[in-house]
Structure formats: structure tokens, C-alpha cells
Amino acid sequence: MAWLYLFLAGLLEVGWAVGLKYTEGFTRFWPSVWTSACMIGSFGLLALALKTLPLGTAYAIWTGIGAVGTAIFGLIFLNESREIPRMVCLVLIVAGVIGLKFFTRTSV
């Protein structure tokens, strides 16, 4: 269950990272509400995952999901750069996240 919590926390991290772009410095009400809700949900699920997962592993995977997910959102919806070195770096992040998942034992 901890891995599911962590995955969902990572998806919510994408939600709040993307949401920050649309809050305009938290001056727009509904984007700010959405972003804040995603932040609270993301941190709450990360906290649940940390009950059984090692801190370093969970945090690295959480930020990895958030970074890659946000970058993919930017590629698809914001027409951000698709240069090969950038894509290689995203693949390396994904490989690291997968590696951490498969080489980590839970504490409980």
C-alpha cells in the first residue's frame, strides 16, 4: 500500500507543480485552491508512505515522479523543448526511480 500512496503522492506533486504556473503568484482563486489541495494531498500521502518506506528512497521517487510528470506535461501542453539531451535526462530519472523501487525493501 505504501508504494501506491507514494505513486499517488507523486501524481499530486505534478498537479501542484503545474498548478503553480496558473496561480499567478496565488492571486487567482480557483487555481490557488486546486494547487493548495494537491500540495496537502501530496504531502499527506507521502507521509503515509514514509511509515514503511525508507526516507531517502521515498523522497527520491516522489520528486522523480513529480519532475518527470511535470516535464511531460510541459512537453505535451506547453510546447517545451524536446531536444534529445533533455529526453535522455528524463529517461535517466525514470530509470533511477524504477531502480529504487526494485532495490528497496520496506521496513514493515
Side-chain angles (χ1 to χ4, degrees):
M1 211 47 187
W3 290 107
L4 176 62
Y5 292 150
L6 185 59
F7 178 73
L8 294 174
L11 292 181
L12 287 173
E13 185 186 3
V14 174
W16 69 257
V18 169
L20 281 174
K21 180 164 183 62
Y22 298 98
T23 67
E24 295 180 15
F26 287 100
T27 60
R28 295 182 62 213
F29 182 74
W30 289 114
S32 297
V33 168
W34 167 257
T35 300
S36 298
C38 286
M39 285 178 175
I40 292 166
S42 182
F43 286 120
L45 289 168
L46 176 61
L48 289 174
L50 286 172
K51 286 183 171 184
T52 56
L53 297 176
L55 172 64
T57 299
Y59 185 74
I61 291 174
W62 179 68
T63 58
I65 292 169
V68 171
T70 303
I72 290 171
F73 180 91
L75 291 169
I76 294 170
F77 297 105
L78 303 176
N79 200 32
E80 292 183 356
S81 169
R82 291 173 174 82
E83 295 176 4
I84 293 196
R86 189 167 190 247
M87 297 298 105
V88 169
C89 290
L90 289 174
V91 168
L92 290 172
I93 293 170
V94 171
V97 166
I98 291 169
L100 285 170
K101 161 65 174 110
F102 285 110
F103 295 112
T104 299
R105 290 187 231 170
T106 57
S107 1
V108 174

